[in-house]
Each structure stands twice: as structure tokens, then as C-alpha cells.
Amino acid sequence: MEPLRPQRRTAARVLDTLTPALILLSAVTAEDGGAMEELTTEKEAEESHRQDSVNLLTFIMLLTLTILTIWLFKHRRVRFLHETGLAMIYGLLVGVILRYGIPATSYHNKTPPSCSLKEGPVSTVLLNISGKFFEYTLKGEINSREIHNVEQNDMLRKVTFDPEVFFNILLPPIIFHAGYSLKKRHFFRNMGSIITYAFLGTAISCFVIGNLMYGVVKLMQVLGQLTDKFYYTDCLFFGAIMSATDPVTVLAIFNDLHADGDLYALLFGESVMNDAVAIVLSSSIVAYQPSGANTHMFDAAAFFKSVGVFIGIFSGSFVMGAATGVVTALVTKFTKLHCFPLLETALFFLMSWSTFLLAEACGFTGVVAVLFCGITQAHYTYNNLSAESTQRTKQLFEVLHFLAENFIFSYMGLALFTFQNHIFSPIFIIGAFISIFIGRAFNIYPLSFFLNLGRRHKIKGNFQHMMMFAGLRGAMAFALAIRDTATYARQMMFTTTLLVVFFTVWVFGGGTTPMLSVLHIRVGVDPDQDQQPCTDSFQVLQGEGPQAEGQSKTKQESAWLFRLWYTFDHNYLKPILTHSGPPLTSTLPAYCSPLASCLTSQQAYENQLRDDPDFMRGDGGGDLSFTFGDTTITANGASGSGGGGWRRGGNSRSVGLEHERQEERQHLGGGAGARAGLP
């Protein structure tokens, strides 16, 4: 054994010599592996960035092509296809190319790993791979028929936006513009009818569609056409989203042809308000959770709880939107932001948009909040803005509304081919069309009958037929449907919603002009000269001459609520929040003079003298009164015939009404978009 010792010593020396080299080699190998991994990650990030840029470029090119085609149609006076329908067609073409024009690449692993979870898939997975932890996020379910086309599915998912993008980014400018561009005179003089159609009519339509579709679902069960669960609450939810009308095509044609102003106001007001009602109604249906085992059957306690949720969400959202508008009005009044129009416009934009996000963050509905924020901003804040900011804000939201709405409609066309989990059920689709038609009829005709019992100027039969025809579905129905597509029922609803929107926009939207001729609805109407007394409550402000004298008391009694609000708003709210209206020093009691002087700006005195130079101070003491025809309204809400006060010489029309018209002409003077203002 002795002769082996020198060999061992030699081997030990060689090993000692090679050990640093082996350590250095392993370190170099590890560094090379880490460098390769970092290089791969950088390439993947760069490729993902490039793909996202291509996706956004695709939509921008779609909008560009839509705008150019719209110009051609307007130049040729083509009205059978609106820009929203055109955007859907272009979206369909791009969807077909993405779906069938790009060859599929087979998945490299034919047998993907399997696992079972008791509570469904999780949103984030952490994996330990060779001592390193990697995070994977859930992209969505892959259709089992296309499991080997993962690369193509991944490409299609990349052009699919998160549903929250529609709610938090695209919907706010659309809804805000609807409220901000509202022409108040026609809207408020038909307010009673609009509220009836929007609230009561939407609820009727929801329950009619929901119950009819529940019958369709039961029929599908009998025929073996239903492969998964579909509850009664799912049917009611479908009724809620299908009750949100969006007659953007019809209103655009009305605007171009200057159709009857009151018909426009009824359609426009209903579409604006019932969007808000439909989203709150859908939230209430989701909140409907009966106790016990029958979680999807009728339960009285759960029903009244849902009603309470509806009232709470709607009222809270309304207060939040109006409060944001009031705060913005106060800020713009008591600061000198008007000296910096850019800052003024930026603040107005941010305050308006934050209303939506604030309401959503507080558990309310941003759609309702931003709608009433727009109405409040138009009524108060608009009067405080500089001339440059008034044009900027109006044009800014008009452009944002146009781009957002056309983006949504083009995405609808794209989603028909890029959405991975469509469920086409002919029975459900046909039943949906029939149910929507019946639900719309139960909304319009019975309510119009009851409304005509209390209206001097009736909603004529041709108006009712046109409102029935104009019940298109659009952006709001799509946004509500795409927000949740996790279950079998919601996927079927989403597919059907897309088809309903396509059909109503193309067929009913394209048939608007012929329908106007068939129903003999007047066009070419100047809204400033259209003064027929076709009002719910506003007609009390338009009485003139000897015929009005005999009807004054009746009209005063029927419109007392509106008269009180108008007086309170004109004498107190507008002077507090804006530079317009009578100075508070004239409307508030004498003991409030310090507060009145503090809240009244010098510009308010100047505006009063400039706008109404022929006003005379009467002998009515400290009260302020306005003459509406034969009716005088004082600052404390009292009314009487004749009497002194502030009165315009030689003119028996309401000074406040004329001032409102002047504001509307300024507010809508720059033109209107598809859903903007009245013709």
C-alpha cells in the first residue's frame, strides 16, 4: 500500500489545481445562463410592447377610416348608415382577418399539465422552478376545441380589452357629454314624461323581457338545448341590460333633419336617463340574494332589499354627481382661474371625470353620478367659465364622446370574431328579439296613454310609433354584457347582445329617414320658433293674452312644484354658484346682507345691468318678482296677478325663460355631435 501514497498526493495536487478553474467555469456558466434569461425576458417585453402598439394602431386606423367614410357619406348626403354602424362593419372586417386570415400555430406541448381545484381557477399562480419563483396571471378560459391553437388564442386575447376599460375610460365622456350638451328648455318642459318613460318604463321593460326569456329558457330545457345552469335572476339581468336604449343613429338623423323638437327631447331624455336606470337596476338584480337553499327563487325580503339597494345607489350617485358640480362651480366662481383658461379647462375636465371614479370607489354607480354632474356643470359652472374655456370644454367633450362611442362600436364588430367563448343559441336569440319588441311596446304605448290623460298637448300616435321604432340598443347594453362573461348564462347573453345591437343599429337606424316620411313627422323645425305649448309643467311660464287669464289658476296649481324650484334656483342657487341671476343682496332678507354681499360678485351686478337694462324697481318692498305672462313670482315663492317688482317693459314673457334660452344658444352654439343637444 505504500507505493500508492505518491499517486494520491499527485491526484490531490491536481485536484487542488483544478478546483479554482471548475469554480470559475461554473460561475461563468451561471452568469451566461442568467444573461441569456435576461436577454429572453427583454425580447419578450419588447415583443409584447410591439404587439400592444399594433393593436392600438389597428383601432386608430379603424377610427380614421370611419371618419373619412363619414365625410364621404355626409358629402353625398347618405343617411341610411350612421357612423356607429359603419364602425361596426369595419370592426367586423378586421375581426374576420384576425380570426381566419392568420394561420394557427400548434401548441408545442400536446398534453398540458392538469390539476383540480375545489373553488375554481385562481387569478395568480406562483411556481417554484429550479429554486426560482415565477408568477403567472390568469388570462382566461380557452375553448377545448382550440386547445392546440394557444398562440392564435393569445393573439386574439391581446386585442381584447379589460371590461373595466369601457367603464372607467370610454363610458364617462359619453355619459357626461349627454348631460353637458342637454338643451334644458325642451328637456325640462317634458320632464314628467321623460322620467315616466325612463324609470317606470325601464322597469316594465326589464320585467317583461326577463319573464318572457325565462319562458324561453324553460323551453330550451325541455328541448335539451340548455347545457348549463340558467337562473331566473339571469333572465332579469338580461332584461335590465336590454332595457338600456341608445338611439344614437336616430338622434343624429333627427339633428340633421331638424325633426320635431319635443319628439327629439322625449327620445334623447329617455335614452340619457334610462342608461342610468338600467345600470342601477342591473346592480340591484345582482344584489338579489334570497336566504336559504333556493338562492335563485323569489323571496320577498330579498326583493325589498334589492329595491332599497336601487334607491340607495341611485340617490347616492345623484347626490355625489350634483355635489361635484356644485364644488366645481364654487371653485370657478371664487377664484381667478378664468385668467388662465388652460388651467380652468384642465380643472373642469379632471373634476368631471373624477366624479365617475369617486362614485365607483364609494360603491355607487359612476354612470348616474357623471350624468348629473354634466347637467349640473352645464347649468351652473358653465356660466363661470371664460369665453375660451366654454368653447374648449364643449369641444373637448364632444370630441371625446365621438371617439369613445365609435371606438366601442368598432370593438363590438371586432369582438364578434375575437371573443373566445361565444354561445350561439338560435332559440334564445329569436326569443330575445321577440321579447325586446314586446317589452318596448309595453313601455311606450300604455305609458303614453296614461301620460296623455294629464297633458294638454298629447303624445300623438305617430310620435309613439317613432319612439317604438327608435328603441335601438348600443354602447351601454354592450358594456353591461361584457363586464361579466364568466358563466355559461352570461356568455350566451353577451353573444345575443352583440347580435341585437348589430340588427337594431343597421336595420332600425338605417330605416329612420323613411319612417319619418311614413309617419308624417315634421322636419326642418326651428326650435327657437317652435313655441307650441306641448309641455308637462313648463306651460305655466308661457301663458299670454286673454285666453291665459282663465287658465292661470289651473296651470299654477298643476305646476306649483316646478315653479317653486325655478324660483328657488333663479333667486338663490344661481346667484350663489354663478355670476348670473339677480344679486343676492336683492333676494335675501336684510339681516343676511353681510352674507349676501360676500357671496355676490361684482360681475353679478355688472351682468344684471348689461343683460337687463330695461328692468325697473317696483314698489314691492324688499321682494324680487318676475312676470310670467299673467303670473308674477316673487323671491319668497308667492304668486299673484299683476303686481310690481322687476319687470321687463313691453314684454310679458318670462325674463328668466328668455335668459335660459340665451344660455342654451351660447352653450350649444358650436354644433352638436350624435347625441348632443337638440336640433
Side-chain angles (χ1 to χ4, degrees), residues 253-444:
I253 295 175
F254 278 20
N255 194 39
D256 292 340
L257 297 178
H258 298 285
D260 187 279
D262 288 288
L263 175 60
Y264 189 106
L266 289 172
L267 277 174
F268 178 75
E270 183 208 4
S271 67
V272 168
M273 296 293 293
N274 86 339
D275 280 354
V277 174
I279 191 171
V280 179
L281 193 60
S282 63
S283 300
S284 303
I285 293 172
V286 172
Y288 177 80
Q289 294 179 349
S291 58
N294 298 326
T295 56
H296 293 276
M297 301 301 293
F298 178 78
D299 183 82
F303 172 77
F304 286 109
K305 179 182 177 182
S306 295
V307 173
V309 169
F310 176 89
I311 297 174
I313 291 178
F314 196 94
S315 58
S317 303
F318 166 77
V319 170
M320 188 167 292
T324 307
V326 167
V327 170
T328 311
L330 291 173
V331 171
T332 53
K333 177 182 178 180
F334 292 106
T335 62
K336 294 187 179 297
L337 275 174
H338 63 272
C339 299
F340 306 95
L342 180 61
L343 300 180
E344 189 179 36
T345 304
L347 178 68
F348 183 92
F349 173 80
L350 294 175
M351 291 291 290
S352 302
W353 201 305
S354 64
T355 306
F356 184 93
L357 302 177
L358 179 62
E360 292 289 333
C362 294
F364 297 111
T365 299
V367 170
V368 178
V370 79
L371 171 64
F372 287 101
C373 176
I375 295 175
T376 307
Q377 300 277 47
H379 192 60
Y380 297 114
T381 311
Y382 184 86
N383 297 289
N384 299 334
L385 300 178
S386 61
E388 187 174 351
S389 293
T390 56
Q391 293 297 320
R392 281 182 175 178
T393 55
K394 183 170 55 180
Q395 294 171 0
L396 172 63
F397 280 101
E398 188 174 349
V399 170
L400 290 176
H401 159 265
F402 173 82
L403 293 176
E405 191 163 56
N406 282 279
F407 184 94
I408 290 179
F409 277 92
S410 63
Y411 184 80
M412 287 185 201
L414 193 71
L416 187 63
F417 291 97
T418 59
F419 184 67
Q420 298 292 299
N421 300 301
H422 278 304
I423 298 178
F424 292 93
S425 174
I427 297 178
F428 190 86
I429 293 171
I430 294 173
F433 276 99
I434 297 174
S435 301
I436 291 169
F437 181 83
I438 296 175
R440 183 68 177 171
F442 272 84
N443 177 354
I444 298 300

Side-chain angles (χ1 to χ4, degrees), residues 44 103 150 177 192 297 316 334 357 502 550 575 620 646 658 661-662:
E44 290 178 353
V150 174
H177 180 262
M297 301 301 293
F334 292 106
L357 302 177
F502 290 161
W646 292 75
E658 186 63 30
R661 291 175 184 165
Q662 292 175 0

Side-chain angles (χ1 to χ4, degrees), residues 67-219:
I67 290 172
L68 293 176
T69 312
I70 292 169
W71 168 82
L72 181 62
F73 280 16
K74 289 184 178 294
H75 182 68
R76 300 292 182 182
R77 298 184 181 276
V78 177
R79 293 193 179 96
F80 70 89
L81 186 63
H82 187 249
E83 59 250 29
T84 53
L86 191 63
M88 286 195 299
I89 293 176
Y90 287 144
L92 281 171
L93 295 177
V94 174
V96 170
I97 294 173
L98 292 177
R99 183 74 176 184
Y100 302 107
I102 299 177
T105 305
S106 297
Y107 184 47
H108 66 277
N109 187 356
K110 301 299 182 182
T111 56
S114 301
C115 65
S116 59
L117 296 174
K118 295 182 179 180
E119 298 180 356
V122 295
S123 58
T124 304
V125 176
L126 292 176
L127 293 182
N128 186 347
I129 303 176
S130 301
K132 295 183 178 181
F133 291 92
F134 295 87
E135 179 182 1
Y136 293 84
T137 57
L138 179 67
K139 286 188 174 181
E141 182 182 359
I142 299 175
N143 196 309
S144 59
R145 299 187 304 270
E146 301 178 357
I147 190 64
H148 300 302
N149 299 332
V150 174
E151 281 81 1
Q152 185 187 37
N153 293 336
D154 186 62
M155 183 271 299
L156 293 177
R157 280 195 298 270
K158 285 181 178 178
V159 296
T160 303
F161 289 91
D162 188 335
E164 295 304 315
V165 171
F166 293 98
F167 266 81
N168 295 332
I169 297 179
L170 297 179
L171 275 184
I174 295 175
I175 303 300
F176 181 87
H177 180 262
Y180 192 58
S181 63
L182 190 68
K183 192 167 186 180
K184 295 171 289 185
R185 179 161 53 93
H186 284 267
F187 181 85
F188 284 107
R189 79 182 190 181
N190 291 282
M191 176 59 80
S193 300
I194 290 172
I195 290 179
T196 303
Y197 286 126
F199 282 85
L200 186 58
T202 302
I204 291 173
S205 177
C206 170
F207 284 99
V208 169
I209 295 174
N211 284 280
L212 290 176
M213 291 309 298
Y214 188 64
V216 172
V217 168
K218 289 298 182 182
L219 176 63

